[in-house]
Amino acid sequence: MHTDSACEVRCLHPEAVQRATQALEAEPDLIGMASLFAAFGDPTRLRLLLALQIEPLCTCDLAVVLGVSESAVSHQLRTLKSLDLVESERRDRMMFHRLTSTITEALSAVARSHVVGSLTSAEAA
Amino acid sequence: MHTDSACEVRCLHPEAVQRATQALEAEPDLIGMASLFAAFGDPTRLRLLLALQIEPLCTCDLAVVLGVSESAVSHQLRTLKSLDLVESERRDRMMFHRLTSTITEALSAVARSHVVGSLTSAEAA
DNA sequence: ATCTTATTTGAGTCATTGTTCAATCGTTCA
DNA sequence: TGAACGATTGAACAATGACTCAAATAAGAT
């Protein structure tokens, strides 16, 4: 089968296309990376992660901090746990949730510097 | 108005909640950061950004690489431009798009290391 | 100026997802 | 054992968003 010989496709720079395509094929964890970014891409989840950067919190504390229901927190925590971003431990009657790694710090630092950089260059007044 | 004196809210660790809340209030660009992560969180957009990491490409080249319509590429580019991730320049008859900064490299490097770390610890067989 | 080419835009559609509500589960204390 | 509490789950819903198709725009070639 000929994938790129379709008649209506106009590929103007075949070599460049091939280089880019190969680069993407060499990225096996692309979906995993996108999922990770998507987790950070929701304001509620990002705030949850940043809150846990200070100290571990229980579900209902998180609900108060984030201003959503405890159910919503639990749903988001499930997502974050599946991505190995958060781990939980029972203490007293409640579950305490904490970050598993420093990736939250690393990613948010990079993002923060880009955003403030864009803002200052956008102000420029 | 009393924001936290609602009667049905049970706040088990008021001091911890306050610390977390203050930390979030000290993050003025939180929405901007979340928008940035969300841009990286879509597989098509992430692939687009990684493709541009190799070299600048025109719209229809990107369409071939990503396997979507040129219209879809253009829509995604609009998003990425609004976030100062991509800039475009006309050459010959076509628009060439390139990354504006190295943030794609920085973010993807952090994400990649976390994903492979999670995979290896998940394998463990 | 006209036609062609590359890109952009807008409308519309379908899938995804973040949320709440209600019900259930699991622990702990009486 | 039973009651209370914290957390989790599932269903339902609203909102967001990614895509295609069709039409419009912009710039180069004839």
Side-chain angles (χ1 to χ4, degrees), chain B residues 23-49:
Chain B
L24 294 183
E25 289 171 348
E27 198 85 63
D29 302 319
L30 203 139
I31 298 296
M33 290 167 64
S35 304
L36 185 64
F37 285 126
F40 282 78
D42 175 67
T44 300
R45 267 191 310 259
L46 180 57
R47 289 169 63 218
L48 194 160
L49 291 165

Side-chain angles (χ1 to χ4, degrees), chain A residues 23-103:
Chain A
L24 294 184
E25 287 171 351
E27 198 84 64
D29 303 319
L30 202 138
I31 297 297
M33 290 167 64
S35 304
L36 185 65
F37 285 126
F40 282 78
D42 175 67
T44 300
R45 270 192 307 261
L46 180 57
R47 288 168 64 221
L48 194 159
L49 292 165
L50 293 177
L52 292 187
Q53 227 175 347
I54 309 298
E55 61 193 305
L57 294 170
C58 68
T59 309
C60 63
D61 282 346
L62 279 169
V64 175
V65 171
L66 303 177
V68 298
S69 69
E70 301 169 22
S71 174
V73 172
S74 190
H75 281 296
Q76 302 291 25
L77 283 171
R78 174 198 268 269
T79 301
L80 298 174
K81 281 189 209 173
S82 75
L83 292 168
D84 269 318
L85 292 170
V86 171
E87 60 189 0
S88 304
E89 177 195 6
R90 180 162 229 117
R91 211 184 317 167
D92 290 332
R93 282 189 203 157
M94 34 210 145
M95 297 290 287
F96 277 77
H97 313 284
R98 71 162 158 275
L99 302 182
T100 60
S101 73
T102 59
I103 187 181

Side-chain angles (χ1 to χ4, degrees), chain A residues 13 19 27 55 61 112, chain B residues 13 19 27 55 61 112:
Chain A
H13 306 93
R19 282 191 291 270
E27 198 84 64
E55 61 193 305
D61 282 346
R112 187 160 29 233
Chain B
H13 305 93
R19 282 189 292 271
E27 198 85 63
E55 62 192 305
D61 282 345
R112 185 160 31 231

